[in-house]
Amino acid sequence: DRFEANADFDVFPVDTVNYNWIAMNVQHPNLEDINVRRAIRAGIDVQAIIDVAYDGKFARACAMIAPALLGYWPDAPCYERDVEQAKAYLAEAGLETLDVTLTYDNVAPDNVIAELVQANLAEVGINVELVPQDSALFWEEGYGEEGAKVRQLTIMGYSTYPDPAWDTMWFTCAQVQEWNWMYWCNEEFDRLHEEGMRELDQDKRRDIYIEMQKLMDADAIAVQGRGQLRQGPV
């Protein structure tokens, strides 16, 4: 904003291909029921997070692969906050209330995001304990069996390269207890990942990566949030 308000500078917005999300640990007893995960996804106001934590400077991402990349899913559902629907999902899981933890790197704007999520989910009946950690502990604790035991919700963000395989490779079964902090294993996702790296026909590749994102969406393993930062090189 300061550069745009200064006539001495020309600002050219450029989208990155990075992505951020809230990971849900499907192996944890509190989150293994898909209706609980659906309740969390329905209970969080993603646009409010972008507006408050990022001053509205990010485009909302409704799926993992950015618009500029092969495999972008233009019809991906963007879940809007619906408290009553979230409560209904929780009821389908046989619950009226639930206690969960949200772990995050103790840096701005993650603290703001965590507080917004906590307030959003409190209205659904989900009590969120905030677990801020220094960066070293945050990245170390997610690995291995211990991470799968203790992590529940985690604020995550990855940078990537301009090929969709760099987006999907971290969420295969082999990456559980490595970088896949949803601790989610889907054999069809793995098969498509391997097929996508071998396929030379770009139209077929596009369809493969869209299908992979549909599998992630169907299992409700994440709350997709921040997408492409509107950066302004000068």
Side-chain angles (χ1 to χ4, degrees), residues 1-11 234:
D1 289 341
R2 294 198 309 272
F3 283 115
E4 288 179 333
N6 189 331
D8 293 335
F9 293 89
D10 292 325
V11 179
V234 295

Side-chain angles (χ1 to χ4, degrees), residues 90-118:
L90 203 60
E92 287 187 45
L95 300 169
E96 292 184 0
T97 186
L98 177 68
D99 297 330
V100 298
T101 61
L102 173 61
T103 304
Y104 55 96
D105 195 351
N106 189 16
V107 296
D110 287 8
N111 284 288
V112 177
I113 296 171
E115 290 174 2
L116 286 168
V117 168
Q118 184 182 53

